[in-house]
Amino acid sequence: MPVASWDSPKIFCFADLELDEGQQRVLRDGVEVPLPKLSFDLLLALLESAPNYVSNRQLMAQVWPGLVIADKTVSQRVKLLRDALGDDREEPRYVAGLRGRGYRVPAQVNRIEPGSDERHASIEEVPRPNPNSTARRRSRSSTTWITSIAVAGALIVLGSILADRSDDMAERIGVTESDTQGRYSLVTTIAVLPFRNLSDNEDDYIALGVPEMILDELAAIKGLTIIARNSSFRALDDKRNAAETGRVLGAMYLVEGSVQRAGKNLRISVQLVDSQAGTQIWARRFDREIDDIFAVQDEIAASVASALGAQVADPENLAALSRPTTNIEAYLAFLRGRVEIGRWTVVDADAAVASFQTAIELDPNFAAAYASLYDARLMAEDRRSGGATARALLSGNPGDRNAFNLARAGSQTLIDKALALDPKSGAAYFARAIWADDASATREADFRRGLDFDPSNGRGIEAYAEFLDRAGRGDEADTMLKRAMEIDPLSPRIYFWQAMRHLSDGPAVIEAAMLKVLEIDPDYVPALQRYAKYRWIFHGELAEAIQLVERALAIDPDNPWLMHTATAMYLDIGDVEAAKAIQSGAERPEITGSFLIQFYQGDVAGAGLEALQDSAFAVELYENWGVYEALRDWAKATGDYRSAIKQIENHTGLGERSARITLRNFRAVPALAEMQMAEGNDAVSQELLRNCIDWIDDIHLPEFGNVYALRVKANALLLLGDTDRALDTLGESFAAEDYLQWWYTLYDDPLWASLHDDEHFKKITAHVQSHIEQQSAMLAELRQSGLVPHRSVRSGDQK
């Protein structure tokens, strides 16, 4: 048998099948077995490792490189592969699984050199699958499975830039073709794709700048709906045809093209395509000098509009109305800033500030650059506060944002300058509305002006939808969000916020929704933090959660929200050194989790004094882990119950007469009730505890699941003297995989101290310790493989 060249495409023969990597196909008796690309790649990965098992983690790295996916995604893909091959899970010939270990090909696998006749001798005679077999019945139901994902309630993410075929895209995100048909009712919806650069790499900026300018001009024409840049540029894929691109973007028409430059000469080729029919409507080539680039894009925009029958009332004024600058370098710096600000990170917000400043230096009359610089400066300040400023503005609760107020006051002249240069600057009105704390009517007026003057501003429209939702105008928010999705269908921010609106749909739905956001953008930091947190608090998967949050920190190392989350996770897995290393690099340790280390180490005085500061609540009420307990422990040690009670009541609203137990404050109830009891207010204490238990049973458990709820209920039951039920509920809490700050409950909480020698309590402790040891071992493996950095207190960085 010839020696195989391992650099050449591989051919594998196994059972009665042949996989040809070069031709990207699987054959049975010379007849192709159709496989989507993900299924093909999965089978190839298994064949390359045969006869060994391949773990889920290895498959994730090989088949879904760079993506954040769940184990369930692997198992579902294996099911689809088995269905396509006619395999039976109980008696597998092609794909065998070992629970918790991975998958392998059980048949003998032979690697064949291309062109060799030996392949035929390597293929077994295998009985044809019975059409009435379980495997066949499963195959027929695969389409039903795809559709059921959407029906089941997981949020639909319209489109995935990472899919290689439309069927793979549908399977990844739960969207079927029928789900997107209705979006073509907007017959004048256009997406302008990035042009291809046919000259040197240094001319890439022209290939991006020309379509961006065309997009802006088309957006100024009434009667046309333009897909936002973030989505249209994200959707470009060499392997996706026009129909697939149009379906992903919800666009009937696509503007495509190429640019080529030779010295001062510039050639631009443009075509307008009907994405459904796959036909070319209009095409033209422009041979001009580089100095004529703005005139060319004016002509292209007017020609596209004319081809679609859109009325351009005054073509000569079109450029003046829509062109933000005549300086190409300034415009390209501006475009770079718009990309950076869309990533919602500290580091990229700072980079956007620099880009917009460059644009202004190159063109001091660039109105949109002034407005965007204002937006970028305030986003950078907000990101440094862990997002607390944006939440305070949207909720109407000012909170502690002195640094932000100073930054906004110092940047006000930017908005004034933008509107002086261009009174119709939609970007300026949107930016002012997003970061204002004026009366709602004033802010809404700015949102409306922004919408009138800049109807394709996906970021502004999403922020307006969020504003409406926070104001209790849910139906209007839905309408505005739908508009944002039509204009910017691949914006991770839009789908992230939509997911956050559905917290009450339960942990499974919110976790699946966040995973789908990451399918659009695997590096979208807010979704990475959320998904990491859900793997931790919903499933106790601490090692995986740390891997995800470390990935987010590698993208945005100065983000205090990520530092706070990572610190809490490292303490829960018992790695105090890593937690301290995280804090050693923090600019604002008061909001990044330095309190958590004091709390973990039993520093009652230090942790209590930190908890008495408003900065302890800077991240958000859902994530101020340990603050209520630290306040109670400090009050017990000092006797100053009133100060601790006041701090909790001020931040939770539980001191008001009409106070209700809610998702935002229920975790504070046991600590507050115990302090009220110590102050002699037994009636107040017992009412709080009973109301909390009723709310958990009636609202939290059916709507939000077990996380947090069972532990809080156990604490409340113990304070009411119902020890047996308290122990049972505590056991249920850990059995439900809620391990958050397990060490405090089992070792440090004075409430449970008298039960440490109880046999039931000991069994609970042994169960938890076993789980944490397992997670610690998994973390060590991830570090060994380089997927998680080694952190030390000495450097605060990777070793």
Side-chain angles (χ1 to χ4, degrees), residues 14-17 29 93 107-108 119-126 128:
F14 61 106
D16 62 339
L17 297 176
D29 291 342
R93 294 195 61 83
Q108 179 179 340
R119 68 179 70 182
H120 303 291
S122 302
I123 298 178
E124 304 172 16
E125 286 295 328
V126 179
R128 294 291 175 268

Side-chain angles (χ1 to χ4, degrees), residues 16-17 26 28 33-35 43 78-95 126-140:
D16 62 339
L17 297 176
V26 173
R28 179 186 281 130
V33 179
L35 289 182
L43 181 58
V78 168
K79 178 184 182 302
L80 291 171
L81 175 59
R82 284 172 171 158
D83 289 346
L85 298 179
D87 204 6
D88 190 332
R89 177 181 177 180
E90 304 303 323
E91 298 180 9
R93 294 195 61 83
Y94 310 119
V95 183
V126 179
R128 294 291 175 268
N130 186 330
N132 296 318
S133 70
T134 302
R136 278 293 172 204
R137 291 197 298 273
R138 287 176 185 156
S139 180
R140 289 198 297 269

Side-chain angles (χ1 to χ4, degrees), residues 727 743-763 765:
L727 280 168
W743 41 269
Y744 179 76
T745 301
L746 298 181
Y747 294 117
D748 298 338
D749 192 341
L751 183 62
W752 294 94
S754 63
L755 294 172
H756 285 185
D757 292 330
D758 181 272
E759 289 303 315
H760 192 173
F761 191 88
K762 286 181 177 179
K763 287 182 181 179
T765 302

Side-chain angles (χ1 to χ4, degrees), residues 667-678:
R667 288 189 298 116
V669 169
L672 180 59
E674 188 174 359
M675 289 191 289
Q676 290 284 12
M677 198 179 296

Side-chain angles (χ1 to χ4, degrees), residues 197 199-206 261:
N197 177 25
S199 51
D200 296 334
N201 289 335
E202 65 183 25
D203 293 327
D204 282 344
Y205 71 95
I206 300 176
R261 185 172 75 160

